[in-house]
């Protein structure tokens, strides 16, 4: 696996595994060892069609649509029906065929970041230094290998984002992180041609990319600060430093405010987008990993894996309004398009917990392994996207 800690020195996913209990009446999940999970991941049976129902908690109702969860430790992604939290299929992605054997694949991928625009899914495949492009309309629950296109990018891409107009994809290439001079930067892909149109070198390991709503600015969180680019010129406008160890970046719907997680400081930096200055620092949990903003801009959610919590921030007040306990190293967050549910990816539990945003109650827990409490070990959900269009087979 290529998950990393904020310093870029050691594998991230293996360093923080623990056992835990899900709260609010959800089922008990015991996180297993990484080695056992990865060994199972590379067994010949792991891509069999799974049973249609994979809930290990109470019934999970939600809006019509689909969730696509990037399973970093299992070389693939899971397609889920959001109306009932049913796993439709676990797909392989990013692995090249073994030369001379059309039926065999190199299971050497690790899919980190995921993004979607319309029906097009993009995966940052760190294991092969590619981006996989998949049309969700062509997914087939009877075939775990979807039709895809692989685009060669920089070394070890960990995150990516689609410009709001859908014309470009920006990819954070972390590089091998072996020294300060490691090759890292941003790869820019044309969505029309699926070809690389620019490579933007930068110092500091990039971990996340986000765009302003207008698409005129790109924000890149790196180990040295937040880089602000003009997407028209592809040049750096400024670098905002003094943010500790930034890991994730999100932009408010009106484009006026940028939120960056400081993993070292256990905080979120609030940045005025007009002046590119930090106007507030909000203390959250330990090792804040991902930050997202609600569609109305009033609420900010932060996943704190080392605290086993999700912090809920009142954006107007600039303070944490309350904290939700979620076990299993919660790292990944996504909101349903209607904003009624928050989906939380639990790294060490190999599960996704679905929360009602109005009450914070657990609507359900989805075991990505689908065959018992520990069968999700090794999946390591690294990204979630939620759309209103159901996945084929729902």
């Amino acid at each position: 696996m290529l998950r990393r800690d904020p310093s870029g020195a050691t594998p991230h996913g293996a360093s923080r595994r623990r056992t835990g209990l899900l709260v609010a009446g959800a089922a008990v999940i015991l996180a297993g060892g990484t080695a056992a999970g990865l060994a199972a991941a590379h067994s010949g049976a792991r891509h069999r069609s799974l049973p249609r129902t994979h809930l290990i908690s109470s019934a999970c109702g939600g809006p019509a649509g689909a969730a696509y969860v990037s399973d970093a430790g299992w070389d693939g992604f899971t397609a889920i029906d959001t109306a009932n939290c049913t796993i439709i299929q676990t797909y392989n992605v990013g692995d090249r065929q073994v030369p001379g054997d059309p039926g065999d694949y190199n299971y050497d991928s690790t899919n980190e970041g995921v993004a979607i625009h319309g029906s097009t899914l993009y995966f940052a495949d760190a294991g092969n230094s590619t981006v996989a492009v998949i049309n969700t309309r062509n997914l087939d629950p009877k075939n775990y290998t979807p039709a895809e296109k692989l685009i060669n990018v920089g070394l070890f891409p960990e995150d990516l984002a689609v410009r709001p107009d859908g014309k470009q994809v920006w990819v954070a290439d972390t590089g091998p992180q072996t020294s300060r001079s490691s090759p890292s930067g941003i790869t820019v892909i044309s969505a029309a041609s699926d070809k690389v149109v620019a490579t933007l070198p930068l110092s500091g390991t990039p971990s996340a990319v986000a765009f302003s709503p207008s698409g005129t600015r790109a924000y890149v969180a790196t180990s040295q600060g937040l880089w602000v680019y003009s997407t028209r010129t592809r040049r750096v406008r400024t670098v905002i430093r003094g943010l500790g160890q930034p890991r994730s970046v999100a932009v408010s719907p009106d484009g006026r405010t940028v939120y960056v997680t400081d993993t070292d400081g256990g905080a979120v930096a609030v940045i005025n987008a007009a002046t590119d200055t930090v106007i507030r620092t909000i203390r959250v949990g330990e090792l804040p990993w991902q930050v997202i903003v609600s569609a109305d801009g009033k609420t900010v959610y932060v996943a704190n894996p080392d605290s086993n919590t999700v912090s809920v921030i009142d954006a107007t007040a600039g303070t944490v309004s309350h904290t939700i306990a979620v076990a299993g190293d919660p790292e990944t967050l996504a909101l349903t398009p209607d904003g009624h549910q928050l989906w939380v990816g639990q790294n060490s539990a190999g599960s996704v917990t679905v929360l009602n945003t109005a009450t914070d109650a657990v609507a359900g827990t989805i075991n990505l392994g689908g065959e018992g409490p520990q069968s999700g070990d090794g999946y390591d959900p690294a990204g979630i996207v939620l759309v209103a269009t159901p996945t084929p087979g729902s």
Side-chain angles (χ1 to χ4, degrees):
M1 287 182 55
L2 295 171
R3 310 289 303 281
R4 293 169 177 78
D5 70 12
S7 68
T10 59
H12 164 68
S15 64
R16 295 184 297 100
R17 299 206 177 274
R18 59 171 74 83
T19 61
L21 302 178
L22 292 182
V23 297
V28 174
I29 294 180
L30 298 178
T34 306
L38 292 180
H42 290 263
S43 68
R46 72 180 179 85
H47 286 300
R48 293 175 298 179
S49 294
L50 297 174
R52 292 181 60 83
T53 302
H54 296 280
L55 296 183
I56 56 171
S57 66
S58 58
C60 179
Y68 299 101
V69 182
S70 177
D71 303 323
W74 280 65
D75 312 349
F77 69 95
T78 301
I80 301 171
D81 183 347
T82 55
N84 53 23
C85 298
T86 299
I87 292 178
I88 302 302
Q89 176 63 292
T90 298
Y91 295 91
N92 185 41
V93 61
D95 292 311
R96 306 174 189 274
Q97 289 181 293
V98 175
D101 188 346
D104 196 5
Y105 291 79
N106 294 314
Y107 297 116
D108 57 0
S109 169
T110 175
N111 301 301
E112 299 284 344
V114 58
I116 193 167
H117 188 272
S119 62
T120 306
L121 270 173
Y122 299 91
F123 289 95
D125 177 6
N128 285 318
S129 294
T130 62
V131 166
V133 185
I134 299 167
N135 188 331
T136 59
R137 291 176 295 191
N138 298 333
L139 293 176
D140 180 1
K142 297 181 180 179
N143 181 1
Y144 74 84
T145 305
E148 63 182 347
K149 181 170 185 178
L150 298 180
I151 304 170
N152 292 317
V153 291
L155 291 172
F156 303 162
E158 186 167 312
D159 189 54
L160 73 178
V162 187
R163 206 169 71 181
D165 61 9
K167 293 183 178 180
Q168 290 184 349
V169 181
W170 285 42
V171 186
D173 303 320
T174 64
Q177 302 183 18
T178 55
S179 70
R180 293 185 179 274
S181 61
S182 294
S184 59
I186 299 296
T187 297
V188 181
I189 297 171
S190 165
S193 64
D194 288 334
K195 295 184 181 299
V196 174
V197 295
T199 300
L200 313 177
L202 53 75
S203 59
T205 304
S207 59
V209 183
F211 290 98
S212 63
S214 65
T216 58
R217 287 190 178 191
Y219 297 93
V220 182
T222 81
S223 58
Q224 295 186 2
L226 185 71
W227 295 59
V228 184
Y229 285 88
S230 163
T231 57
R232 183 181 64 84
T233 64
R234 298 175 191 154
R235 293 183 178 178
V236 178
R237 294 171 53 93
T238 188
V239 180
I240 305 171
R241 304 186 187 275
L243 302 178
Q245 285 284 348
R247 177 60 183 78
S248 174
V249 56
V251 186
S252 64
D254 60 11
R256 296 178 179 178
T257 310
V258 181
Y259 300 91
V260 180
T261 56
D262 172 6
T263 54
D264 275 357
V268 171
V270 183
I271 297 170
N272 183 319
T275 61
D276 292 325
T277 57
V278 177
I279 57 175
R280 181 180 290 122
T281 299
I282 304 171
R283 293 285 300 178
V284 289
E286 294 181 35
L287 199 74
W289 205 250
Q290 186 176 10
V291 58
I292 62 171
V293 187
S294 63
D296 61 9
K298 294 180 179 179
T299 308
V300 179
Y301 298 93
V302 184
N304 310 303
D306 275 14
S307 295
N308 283 321
T309 62
V310 174
S311 298
V312 184
I313 296 172
D314 181 326
T316 302
T319 59
V320 174
S321 61
H322 59 287
T323 301
I324 308 169
V326 180
D329 293 340
E331 286 188 353
T332 305
L333 302 172
L335 286 162
T336 52
D338 63 7
H340 292 168
Q341 289 184 342
L342 176 69
W343 285 47
V344 185
Q346 300 152 273
N347 178 273
S348 63
S351 301
V352 176
T353 287
V354 181
L355 300 171
N356 183 315
T357 55
T359 64
D360 297 338
V362 175
T365 303
I366 305 163
N367 174 13
L368 296 174
E371 297 177 356
Q374 290 181 275
S375 61
D377 292 351
Y379 274 79
D380 301 338
I384 304 172
V385 290
L386 295 163
V387 294
T389 304
T391 187
S394 295

